[in-house]
Amino acid sequence: MILAAAGAVDHDAVVRGAERAFGHLAPLGPRPVQAATWKGGQRREVKDLEQVHFALAFEAPSVRHDDFHTAQVYTTALGGGMSSRLFQKIREERGLCYSIYAQAGAYDDTGMLTIYAGTSASEIGELCGLTIDEMKRAAEDMTEAEIARARAQMKAGLLMGLESPSGRAERMARHVAIWGKVQSAEESAAEIEAVTRREVLRFAGGLVDGAMTALALYGPVRKAPSLTRLRERLAA
């Protein structure tokens, strides 16, 4: 258990309150945990809905992995906002969906990079194909300007998250849980800024060259391509 407080708080009063509420609890110590094993696979559920919900996932670095920030920068450039590749190509240029984005989550022993989109039953095949093509293209020609924009977007999100006491408290608790200390905003921003184009292209290439893949489809998905077809297109 970690208790964090931010804002107009009295430190001593918080400590006294914590002692009253939790002081009787005995520490349990570390427990053995089975390491995560990424297997991939697919699941589709046919439903009579207006949209197909599509999620394509890859294993990503754990929170302490050297590629943690690289994965975050890549994911932001690929699908982390209105200026990202997936949004511009698939939504703005081709009009194949209303929503598409990529996100990367990191855990203690693994992570997951997910691409999500919502589209129609008639367009899911084309959307899947273009998503794979954009991932392949990103591994070859993602520009320094795109990466710089992604780094700036991440740093802006970091600083905006510090504007609220709840955001600061959550960040402090998370840092203590992961690293045993609270990293300054300047240190976090420096780690983001240190990610290079070469590192991003290497990470992107690793996804294309054989990363385990998971596919989930929900809605009118009878004509959606299989995971095998998507893997073949990614490797081609």
Side-chain angles (χ1 to χ4, degrees), residues 2-22:
I2 297 170
L3 175 64
V9 296
D10 182 324
H11 178 268
D12 294 336
V14 171
V15 172
R16 289 193 297 270
E19 289 173 344
R20 286 193 300 270
F22 310 120

Side-chain angles (χ1 to χ4, degrees), residues 49-114:
L49 304 176
E50 291 185 0
Q51 279 196 323
V52 171
H53 297 274
F54 158 84
L56 185 66
F58 303 82
E59 187 173 18
S62 66
V63 72
R64 298 183 188 88
H65 195 281
D66 290 342
D67 279 340
F68 168 74
H69 288 98
T70 302
Q72 298 287 328
V73 170
Y74 165 79
T75 307
T76 301
L78 181 70
M82 294 172 60
S83 61
S84 67
R85 285 198 169 203
L86 292 178
F87 191 95
Q88 286 295 315
K89 185 69 174 183
I90 298 176
R91 183 188 187 278
E92 296 296 284
E93 292 183 22
R94 303 299 290 271
L96 295 177
C97 62
Y98 180 76
S99 174
I100 185 166
Y101 60 84
Q103 61 183 14
Y107 313 103
D108 185 63
D109 53 359
T110 189
M112 185 166 68
L113 190 160
T114 306

Side-chain angles (χ1 to χ4, degrees), residues 108-163:
D108 185 63
D109 53 359
T110 189
M112 185 166 68
L113 190 160
T114 306
I115 298 172
Y116 166 84
T119 188
S120 67
S122 62
E123 293 174 326
I124 181 61
E126 187 176 3
L127 182 143
C128 289
L130 282 174
T131 298
I132 295 298
D133 291 347
E134 284 303 305
M135 289 187 65
K136 293 171 66 175
R137 194 166 66 87
E140 297 178 353
D141 65 359
M142 185 170 279
T143 66
E144 179 58 47
E146 290 176 285
I147 294 167
R149 185 165 57 240
R151 290 194 300 251
Q153 183 176 332
M154 289 176 61
K155 290 187 291 184
L158 166 68
L159 297 176
M160 290 175 64
L162 299 177
E163 293 181 354

Side-chain angles (χ1 to χ4, degrees), residues 1 18-31:
M1 179 185 293
E19 289 173 344
R20 286 193 300 270
F22 310 120
H24 65 286
L25 300 177
L28 297 177
R31 297 180 179 181

